[in-house]
Amino acid sequence: MQESTIDHARFAEVDLNLLVALDAINSAGSVTKAANRLGINQSSLSHQLGRLRELFGDELFVRNGIGMTPTPRGAAIAKAASEILRHIDRDLLRAIAFSPAETSRIFKLGIPDYLESVFVPPLARFCLDAAPHARLELHSLDHQRATDMLDRGEIDVAVGNVSDGGLVHKRKVLFDDNYVCLHSPALLEKVRSITLEEYFQLPHVAVDLKESACRLVDDTLEQKKRSRRIVVSTPHAHAIPILLKSLTAIATVPRLFADNAAKAHGLAVSRLPFDVAPFQISMVWHASSHVDPGMIWFRGAVADVTRSLR
C-alpha cells in the first residue's frame, strides 16, 4: 500500500467549522451577514475569524467602506476552502447515487449449501435482470464464523441460521423454517406419512452441516435417548435428492429445501413424526454498509426473493 504523504498531526489544528466561517465571510462580504447566514451571533463568528488569522498568520479580511475585503492570501485560502467544502458536500454528505442497471459491483453473499440450491437461482435471475453488469459471488457460510466473515469483508451479507452478532452487525429475520422427511415415493411406495416406528427403522441419508439448525434433530433425539440409523452422510445438501432416488432411505431436511427438491426430483415430503423446534433464517450485515445505497438495494433483492419463495 502506498504510504500517505498527508501530515495528519497538522490537521488537529484545523477545525472544519473555521473553513465554513471563512467561506461564509468571503461570500457574504460581511461578518454580520455571514453570522446571520450561519445562524450564529456576530461575536462567535468574530472569534472564529480571530482563530483563522492566528492559524494562517494573515489578516485574511480587512474592512472597507461597506464590509470586508479579502487580502491576497485570504482570497487564495478562501478559494481553496470553498473547493474543499464543495467536495465534502458533493462526495461525502450527499447520498451517492446507485443505479443497478449501470453498476459493476461484486455482491458477496455467504449462504449455507442447503439454502444455496433453493435461494440462489431466483436471486441470480433477479440480479441478472436488474443489474446485468454486477456479479453475485457466493461463499460457503459457517454460521459460527459469519460475523467474522462480515468483519473481514469476505462477505457483504450472510443468510442462514445466524442469530448472534455484535453491536456492529444488523439482522433481519427472513422466515421461520422447520424439519420434514424427504424420500422417494417410488422406493417407499407404502409410506405416505412416516410414523415414529418407521422413522427409526428406515435407513437415513443425513446432511452433515455446521449450521446450528442442522443439529436440532439429533439434539432432540439425543434428549429422547434415540438416534437415527444413518447409512450415508454428506456435507453437500444438493446430493441428498440424488441419493434418495437410488436408496430406500429417508432424509430429514428443512422444509424449504424439501419442497424444492420434491418438485425438482419427483420426491415426496412427509411431516416429522416428533416435535422439533422451528428455526429462523436471517439476513445479517455489517453496520458499516447499512446506509450504502448499493447494499440497501442488494439486501432488498434478498428480501424480495425470500418473499417470493415463501
Side-chain angles (χ1 to χ4, degrees), residues 58-114:
D58 189 270
E59 283 295 300
L60 300 178
F61 298 96
V62 296
R63 294 186 180 279
N64 57 27
I66 56 174
M68 304 286 283
T69 300
T71 66
R73 180 161 167 74
I77 294 173
K79 180 180 179 182
S82 180
E83 292 175 355
I84 291 169
L85 293 173
R86 280 199 299 270
H87 176 75
I88 292 173
D89 182 57
R90 181 185 66 245
D91 298 335
L92 299 182
L93 299 182
R94 296 179 188 273
I96 300 173
F98 174 77
S99 170
E102 299 176 0
T103 189
S104 57
R105 288 180 67 164
I106 298 174
F107 296 99
K108 296 175 288 186
L109 175 66
I111 190 167
D113 180 71
Y114 78 95

Side-chain angles (χ1 to χ4, degrees), residues 107-124 136-147 149-150 154-162 174-175 209-211 214 235-238 256-257 281-284 298 301-303 305-306 309:
F107 296 99
K108 296 175 288 186
L109 175 66
I111 190 167
D113 180 71
Y114 78 95
L115 276 178
E116 181 178 328
S117 60
V118 180
F119 188 79
V120 171
L123 179 63
L136 179 61
E137 185 176 285
L138 304 177
H139 294 258
S140 180
L141 183 71
D142 176 352
H143 87 284
Q144 295 178 339
R145 291 189 57 247
T147 53
M149 295 173 75
L150 289 166
E154 296 174 17
I155 57 175
D156 300 315
V157 172
V159 171
N161 180 232
V162 185
L174 297 175
F175 60 90
L209 295 178
K210 296 179 180 179
E211 278 259 331
C214 296
H236 306 296
H238 55 77
L256 183 63
F257 175 83
I281 297 300
S282 300
M283 173 168 55
V284 180
F298 182 61
V302 170
V305 167
T306 300
L309 289 173

Side-chain angles (χ1 to χ4, degrees), residues 231-246:
V231 295
V232 179
S233 64
T234 174
H236 306 296
H238 55 77
I240 294 293
I242 307 301
L243 289 168
L244 290 178
K245 293 188 75 171
S246 60

